[in-house]
Amino acid sequence: MTLWTPDPTFYPSPRDAAGAPAEKLAYVAAFDRSCARPDALAVIDTDPSSSAYGTVVGWTDLPGTGDELHHFGWNACSSALCPNAPHPHVERRYLVVPGLRSSRIHIFDTKDRISPELVKVIEAETLARRAGYSRPHTVHCGPEGLYVSALGGADGRDGPGGIAVLDHTSFEVLGQWELDRGPQYLAYDFWWHINQDVLISSEWGTPSMIEDGLVGELLLGRKYGHKLHFWDLRKRSHVQEVDLGDEHQMPLELRPAHDPTRMYGFAGVVVSVEDLSASVWTWFHQDGRWQARKVISIPAEPADPDRLPPVLQPFGAVPPLVSDIDLSVDDQRLYVSCWGTGEIKQYDVSDPFKPVELASLRVGGIAHRNPHPADPALPLRGGPQMVEVSRDGRRVYLTNSLYGAWDDQFYPDGVGAWMAKIDTDSFTFDTRFFPHGDDFRGLRPHQVRLQGGDASSDSYCYP
Amino acid sequence: MTLTAVLLLGAFHGLNPAMGWLFAVARGLQERSLDRLLQSIPVIALGHLASVALVALVVAATGSLVTGSVLAIGGGVVLVGFGLWRLLSRRHFRWVGMRLSLWQLTCWSFLMSSAHGAGLMLLPVFTGLQAQGHAGHAASGGLGVAALHTLAMFGVAGTIAVVVYQVAGLTVLRRAWFNVDRMWALALVVAGVITLAQV
């Protein structure tokens, strides 16, 4: 596991990473909603010169059932080159794959094989005993080890959610990251401004608020998360919370600028309870405190109630439901997925306070069920959900499932299963790349990770 | 011969990105300031000096209590053991945080050098001094060796930092950052063997 020269997928700066070779494989977390069969990691061929391009070429079942795979990450990334604790001769080799429902964390080896191989399982009890958490979610490779956010507490406690730290190499759970969590209770995503020792976290809900579906009373009562939290990464303590306003329910994905000299980032908010719009916010540090400003607002689209699921019929409109955003490695383009309306939008964010919409594509959607150009006769359910951008920024990958119980509410006829790829120069779907339906063997595809890293996997210590 | 070895080891320590020049470059790049880089190198060298001098003083103090051969054997065994541990262990030094004051950077450098056994690598020289003279001379001689060693380290680290910052760029890391840690561990073992051979 020790190399003589740094892992070739580690890059000192985002500029260097943008020159990385194209990925040849994509790993997709896929889960079985019925919990009858194991979830799986599906491996997709992304090499256009390969005869298997755009098809599922590898598959690894999980050892158990009912994991509900969601997000996952690498054991090591470009932060291994950071000068304060360098360890560049480890390999980007293992995928750390949490089960959001089972609370088990799985470690898969990807080296010299197409289908990843399971090497370790961290049981829910271990995570609970050592870190006091359950429902592990986002994974980032960071200064003290692997950081894994978790939505729930342990031993029957619903919360608080927070971050557990795992050892880089042994994958042992080292403990709870927070020393002083201040007012923070809800958890979801997190990332950092690594050179400024700042960690940012967002809020979704506790397990009881999400696991049986979106709870209307909680949403209208504005009980889901609506704050961003800023932390001292070194002291592990809460510094400041920024309330986006309680009408802005569920700030989920956090995308800080990759340029380590810049202190801003973007947060996507799923829905406003005032008008069902979705929004994107820019956070920044000014006048000695953290602030956030709404920079993108995407309105709901009126629709015939007959075409709507029960949860939306009273409103006669489809909310965009921005469930994921992704920032290109050069910090120039922001991609925003509208899972409700079935749209993916591309923004120029060279000025992070004035995004300019450049292009948009429609696929799926609650009311429209737009087809993919590779199969124009096939109406699609689900919408662009997880977005992943290649390191060079030229390709964007999408999957269509959000979260089991929520898929069922918004797409009660079944969310289906599909994955798509967009070429960003022309901003068109690649008609050669459309794994869907039975390709996923009845499972629902969720997050995508690209071989060698992608726009949401690595942090860089040098500009 | 000894002097050359002391200087070469200093250069070797200066060469290692983990010993500080890379941190200096990062600090410079963060604010696009060569000054910030240049401020960082001396404090990093100071931390390194403290780490090496500590070993020199410990050897001198121990040497005044025990006979020369006990010191050399003990030191050699410690050194070989430490080198093997460095070679086989996957653990690496961790310092959380990138925003350090110059004083904290000195502490970082001291800890980084100590964790890597920078001073231990000079054990054969220190024990050699011990064998030659009486305690007082060994202490001052050891400190002199530490200072010379650090001067070489400072020169090499500073030069590399400036060249990387001004000319080469950090992409050089991807190719040129060979696994110094492994070589370093071997050097520790070799130093241990030399110490034992002096007996």
Side-chain angles (χ1 to χ4, degrees):
Chain A
M1 160 126 181
T2 309
L3 304 171
W4 275 110
T5 53
D7 185 298
T9 70
F10 297 165
Y11 291 88
S13 70
R15 205 159 13 107
D16 295 325
E23 62 285 349
K24 295 198 166 167
L25 295 174
Y27 300 93
V28 179
F31 69 97
D32 178 41
R33 173 66 181 129
S34 69
C35 300
R37 296 172 38 211
D39 294 354
L41 284 179
V43 187
I44 320 292
D45 189 326
T46 59
D47 177 5
S49 65
S50 158
S51 59
Y53 178 62
T55 65
V56 176
V57 290
W59 188 276
T60 303
D61 277 332
L62 266 73
T65 57
D67 286 301
E68 182 136 18
L69 295 190
H70 216 239
H71 293 202
F72 58 117
W74 291 104
N75 67 307
C77 62
S78 298
S79 63
L81 298 176
C82 288
N84 52 340
H87 50 288
H89 304 102
V90 298
E91 293 177 271
R92 186 200 302 267
R93 169 170 181 173
Y94 299 99
L95 285 170
V96 181
V97 185
L100 182 53
R101 202 167 283 261
S102 68
S103 300
R104 286 188 290 260
I105 300 174
H106 310 81
I107 313 295
F108 287 93
D109 190 353
T110 65
K111 190 179 184 181
D112 298 333
R113 45 171 80 79
I114 302 289
S115 300
E117 194 175 307
L118 184 73
V119 292
K120 185 181 171 99
V121 179
I122 300 165
E123 294 297 336
E125 300 76 54
T126 309
L127 180 65
R129 194 177 67 249
R130 300 248 178 95
Y133 288 131
S134 66
R135 280 70 166 201
H137 186 261
T138 302
V139 180
H140 281 302
C141 29
E144 276 178 289
L146 290 164
Y147 291 51
V148 183
S149 74
L151 266 54
D155 308 318
R157 285 178 293 109
D158 208 25
I163 296 170
V165 182
L166 271 55
D167 186 83
H168 272 303
T169 47
S170 68
F171 305 111
E172 293 292 314
V173 181
L174 297 177
Q176 189 168 105
W177 176 73
E178 296 86 355
L179 289 179
D180 171 13
R181 64 178 349 110
Q184 179 268 336
Y185 187 78
L186 301 176
Y188 180 72
D189 197 18
F190 73 98
W191 214 355
W192 39 61
H193 292 301
I194 195 165
N195 276 15
Q196 285 84 11
D197 298 337
V198 173
L199 182 143
I200 309 110
S201 69
S202 65
E203 298 186 333
W204 186 11
T206 59
S208 72
M209 297 166 74
I210 61 166
E211 289 191 337
D212 299 321
L214 179 66
V215 183
E217 301 91 78
L218 290 178
L219 181 68
L220 296 176
R222 307 182 175 200
K223 300 294 188 205
Y224 287 96
H226 48 84
K227 291 172 188 164
L228 302 180
H229 298 273
F230 294 85
W231 306 74
D232 186 320
L233 183 57
R234 196 158 96 211
K235 295 183 184 143
R236 302 175 165 206
S237 61
H238 191 276
V239 171
Q240 191 196 329
E241 64 175 27
V242 172
D243 195 337
L244 305 180
D246 64 2
E247 70 272 30
H248 297 294
Q249 291 281 288
M250 296 179 271
L252 296 186
E253 305 298 333
L254 302 173
R255 308 296 178 204
H258 296 87
D259 178 346
T261 64
R262 305 296 300 273
M263 278 211 283
Y264 69 86
F266 300 96
V269 175
V270 176
V271 67
S272 160
V273 291
E274 292 192 336
D275 57 7
L276 297 185
S277 66
S279 54
V280 176
W281 296 63
T282 301
W283 76 72
F284 55 100
H285 194 257
Q286 196 176 306
D287 303 330
R289 64 191 177 91
W290 291 99
Q291 305 176 50
R293 187 184 301 164
K294 191 195 282 190
V295 293
I296 296 172
S297 182
I298 304 170
E301 296 178 357
D304 181 349
D306 293 343
R307 297 182 68 86
L308 297 179
V311 66
L312 291 177
Q313 276 167 0
F315 304 101
V318 180
L321 302 176
V322 167
S323 50
D324 193 18
I325 60 175
D326 207 12
L327 180 63
S328 63
V329 171
D330 63 6
D331 298 332
Q332 297 299 303
R333 296 285 179 271
L334 186 73
Y335 296 90
V336 177
S337 61
C338 307
W339 185 68
T341 44
E343 190 178 14
I344 171 90
K345 290 170 175 285
Q346 181 193 44
Y347 293 87
D348 176 347
V349 287
S350 48
D351 178 348
F353 296 102
K354 290 193 177 62
V356 177
E357 186 173 336
L358 296 178
S360 126
L361 284 171
R362 296 257 177 188
V363 61
I366 292 169
H368 296 299
R369 303 190 174 184
N370 289 299
H372 186 282
D375 191 349
L378 182 70
L380 291 179
R381 292 191 291 261
Q385 206 283 111
M386 291 312 291
V387 199
E388 200 47 73
V389 184
S390 64
R391 288 170 295 180
D392 59 11
R394 302 179 64 119
R395 294 166 303 284
V396 167
Y397 297 89
L398 304 171
T399 49
N400 79 315
S401 160
L402 173 63
Y403 179 65
W406 298 36
D407 290 345
D408 300 348
Q409 281 177 302
F410 290 97
Y411 292 93
D413 299 332
V415 75
W418 49 267
M419 179 178 179
K421 180 200 143 199
I422 295 168
D423 293 308
T424 59
D425 287 342
S426 58
F427 211 71
T428 51
F429 284 113
D430 179 347
T431 51
R432 290 176 64 208
F433 192 101
F434 183 49
H436 65 287
D438 293 339
D439 293 340
F440 289 104
R441 308 183 192 182
L443 271 51
R444 299 181 185 178
H446 191 70
Q447 200 192 15
V448 180
R449 282 269 168 242
L450 303 179
Q451 187 181 40
D454 46 55
S456 69
S457 65
D458 285 40
S459 19
Y460 307 91
C461 277
Y462 313 90
Chain B
M1 179 59 206
T2 311
L3 190 64
T4 317
V6 167
L7 293 175
L8 280 177
L9 281 175
F12 178 49
H13 292 179
L15 187 73
N16 188 347
M19 285 297 116
W21 68 257
L22 188 58
F23 212 151
V25 171
R27 288 165 66 86
L29 286 172
Q30 184 68 17
E31 312 217 331
R32 309 266 176 212
S33 155
L34 184 62
D35 281 357
R36 196 154 186 264
L37 181 157
L38 294 175
Q39 285 166 8
S40 307
I41 296 284
V43 301
I44 288 167
L46 188 64
H48 192 82
L49 176 65
S51 175
V52 175
L54 187 65
V55 176
L57 291 176
V58 168
V59 170
T62 318
S64 64
L65 300 176
V66 300
T67 63
S69 60
V70 171
L71 181 70
I73 292 169
V77 168
V78 166
L79 202 43
V80 171
F82 187 75
L84 289 175
W85 177 74
R86 293 288 318 170
L87 195 61
L88 301 174
S89 168
R90 287 172 172 181
R91 304 200 70 80
H92 65 87
F93 174 76
R94 287 171 195 170
W95 175 289
V96 188
M98 281 288 291
R99 286 190 79 78
L100 306 186
S101 66
L102 287 175
W103 164 241
Q104 287 170 322
L105 192 60
T106 308
C107 295
W108 172 87
S109 173
F110 173 77
L111 292 173
M112 192 64 149
S113 304
S114 304
H116 278 77
L120 288 181
M121 214 181 282
L122 290 164
L123 260 184
V125 181
F126 296 145
T127 54
L129 285 175
Q130 199 69 41
Q132 288 161 19
H134 59 80
H137 287 150
S140 56
L143 290 179
V145 164
L148 267 181
H149 164 88
T150 304
L151 203 61
M153 178 266 181
F154 172 75
V156 170
T159 307
I160 296 180
V162 172
V163 168
V164 167
Y165 181 87
Q166 297 279 55
V167 190
L170 277 163
T171 30
V172 70
L173 282 183
R174 291 175 33 79
R175 295 182 306 276
W177 194 346
F178 64 96
N179 198 335
V180 189
D181 279 3
R182 224 188 263 182
M183 241 178 99
W184 184 286
L186 289 172
L188 285 168
V189 174
V190 170
V193 171
I194 292 174
T195 312
L196 288 170
Q198 288 173 345
V199 178

